[in-house]
Structures are given as C-alpha cells and as structure tokens.
Amino acid sequence: MEQIEEAEEKLVKLEAEIAALKDVPRAVRNLFEEVKSNLKRAKAAYEEKKYGEAFGLARSAEVLARNAVRMLEEETEDEEDLKETIH
C-alpha cells in the first residue's frame, strides 16, 4: 500500500505540472494515461491480495510519473534557453 501511495503522490505532482502548461507534449500525455492505468490496476491487484503484482504496478506508475515530470522540466528549461538566446 505504501508504494501505491507514493505513486499517487507522483501522479498529483504530474497533474499539477500538466495543469500549469498550455501545450502538453503527446509523449507526456501518453505517460500520464499509463500512470493512471497502472495505478488503477495496482489498487485492484491489492484488493485481490496480489501484493507482488500491486507493488510492481505501483512502482511502474511512480517511475513513469517521475519520468514525465522530468520530461516537462527539461522542455521548460529548453524553452527558457531558447528565449535567452533570442533576446
């Protein structure tokens, strides 16, 4: 259950990052959907007492969410670098 909670925290952070943007890259949107799907499946597996499967899915969701946030941060940095170059 602890891993599911950590994945949920990462999902909340990702949602906040996405909400702050007007244009979200398709790759990030795809990762976001996969995070939500894995987290939903992790919760279902946990309910069925399939703890190993639940842990794996929750861990996957957490890593995907972290990667999506990192992609957004890198894109923001690239945009800022471009603006500095132009000005």
Side-chain angles (χ1 to χ4, degrees), residues 41-52:
R41 292 172 42 214
K43 289 177 181 180
Y46 188 85
E47 293 288 320
E48 295 172 11
K49 297 183 179 4
K50 297 178 180 177
Y51 301 120

Side-chain angles (χ1 to χ4, degrees), residues 40-84:
K40 182 179 177 181
R41 292 172 42 214
K43 289 177 181 180
Y46 188 85
E47 293 288 320
E48 295 172 11
K49 297 183 179 4
K50 297 178 180 177
Y51 301 120
E53 182 178 341
F55 178 84
L57 287 165
R59 180 73 177 126
S60 173
E62 178 190 358
V63 170
L64 291 171
R66 192 174 337 146
N67 288 341
V69 168
R70 189 175 300 130
M71 286 174 68
L72 289 174
E73 290 170 350
E74 287 173 1
E75 183 167 309
T76 303
E77 289 173 6
D78 290 345
E79 287 176 7
E80 289 174 6
D81 289 346
L82 181 61
K83 286 178 186 176
E84 287 179 14

Side-chain angles (χ1 to χ4, degrees), residues 11-56:
L11 178 61
V12 168
K13 182 176 180 178
L14 177 57
E15 285 176 321
E17 294 274 341
I18 287 173
L21 296 174
K22 332 176 228 188
D23 187 31
V24 180
R26 185 182 311 173
V28 172
R29 282 186 301 210
N30 290 343
L31 285 174
F32 178 68
E33 292 303 319
E34 195 169 346
V35 169
K36 290 193 308 185
S37 173
N38 283 2
L39 196 49
K40 182 179 177 181
R41 292 172 42 214
K43 289 177 181 180
Y46 188 85
E47 293 288 320
E48 295 172 11
K49 297 183 179 4
K50 297 178 180 177
Y51 301 120
E53 182 178 341
F55 178 84

